[in-house]
Amino acid sequence: MSQVWGITLKGMEALRVEVESEITGGLFAISIVGLPDAAVKESRERVRAALRSLGLSIRGRVAVNLAPADLPKEGAILDLPIALSIAGSMRSIPAVPPGIYMGELALDGRLRGVRGAVSAAILARDLDLPLFVPEENVPEVSLVEGCNARSASTLGDILEFLRGEKELPAIEPVFPETIPSSPEPDFADIRGQSAAKRALEIAAAGHHNILFTGAPGSGKTLLARALRGILPPLSRNEFLEAAQVRSTLGTAFDEGMAPPFRTVHHTASIVSICGGGSTLRPGEVSLAHRGVLFLDEFPEFRRDLLEALRQPLEDGQITISRASGSVTYPCRVLLIAACNPCPCGWSGDPVEQSTCSAREQDRYKKK
């Protein structure tokens, strides 16, 4: 029997999973136990094909146990430790040394990137264990200082390293301060709108939420996007928090130190903004952590959605509870909302004439 350590995600937290495998005689079969989801169960074919591409054919009945047994396991993040555990049971490699292994396997043995690399690096650093990740996850892992991590492009590279036939490149830490920020609309290039620009400066200095009201084309969206440029750059810990949320979802993140900026359409659901679903994923309010959340056409958002945002905006975190468990995500954001003064948008405009009655304008403002 061979034992290898992998991880699974519960919210932003990476939890260590012990992968055990045993091969016995009989007809070929692979069974995986330990509350695996559909993606983990499908790893049987990926692992079998990847090992066969290296000349390792599995024979007999294979039992794979994912411990702890009462912890749900999800995603293809456990492909690599399952393959190493089976290879160890086949005596194709020596005993796998303690470490955390993660990665999705292609049928030809290539390693694909997975989500949760930042959380895995934090766990490996706290446990003082080496971490082995696919090359695609190197930019994320390099953000965590003090983590002994190595990267590989194929399963064969990992096997050769464990046999002592090859060295894997170490992942050096990269300080976000050395990475240039992506260009943004320059606050200094905006002409006029002195009152709105003054309001943005106050909001940026005191981290206050702000509501823009104006006719279509008056520059509400441009001003909102320019706010990101006058916010102070994120500290290292703040940047790591924001990167960890995005890594949990598996989305790309800005490698600069500028705060994140997220725009939400008024047709978005509560789950997409607040988070949730069967896997308890973070929503837009958490993806904008330490940055700006922009709600355009503010009166068009549903009332229940706006009420759902009230407490997270006050507390700076949101707790998502479902039958499968409960997780907490950070969501300390600066909220910018924009709306028209009336349904047609031209109330108070010096050029265009509003076509809305006084009752329609009052009903619109009450939203």
Side-chain angles (χ1 to χ4, degrees), residues 15 28 48 62 67 86-87 108 177 184 187 195 198 222 235 252 277 279 299-300 324 366-367:
L15 303 176
F28 171 77
R48 180 186 180 187
V62 181
I86 294 177
D108 58 357
E177 292 83 0
E184 291 291 334
F187 193 79
R198 175 61 176 164
L222 177 63
S235 66
T279 55
E300 302 300 329
S324 58
K366 287 180 180 179
K367 293 182 178 180

Side-chain angles (χ1 to χ4, degrees), residues 76-90:
I77 197 170
L78 291 170
D79 283 9
L80 179 58
I82 290 175
L84 294 178
S85 180
I86 294 177
S89 297
M90 297 169 60

Side-chain angles (χ1 to χ4, degrees), residues 64-80:
V64 178
N65 180 45
L66 308 177
D70 59 346
L71 177 67
K73 321 301 188 302
E74 63 176 37
I77 197 170
L78 291 170
D79 283 9
L80 179 58

Side-chain angles (χ1 to χ4, degrees), residues 42-126:
E42 291 173 352
S43 67
R44 295 175 297 188
E45 298 303 323
R46 293 193 295 269
V47 169
R48 180 186 180 187
L51 290 174
R52 188 170 58 244
S53 68
L54 298 174
L56 302 177
S57 298
I58 305 175
R59 293 181 176 86
R61 183 175 181 83
V62 181
V64 178
N65 180 45
L66 308 177
D70 59 346
L71 177 67
K73 321 301 188 302
E74 63 176 37
I77 197 170
L78 291 170
D79 283 9
L80 179 58
I82 290 175
L84 294 178
S85 180
I86 294 177
S89 297
M90 297 169 60
R91 302 294 190 268
S92 299
I93 55 174
V96 180
I100 295 178
Y101 302 83
M102 58 183 294
E104 177 184 346
L105 286 175
L107 298 183
D108 58 357
R110 288 178 294 110
L111 285 175
R112 294 192 174 105
V114 291
R115 60 188 184 92
V118 175
S119 299
I122 294 174
L123 175 65
R125 180 190 62 186
D126 295 342

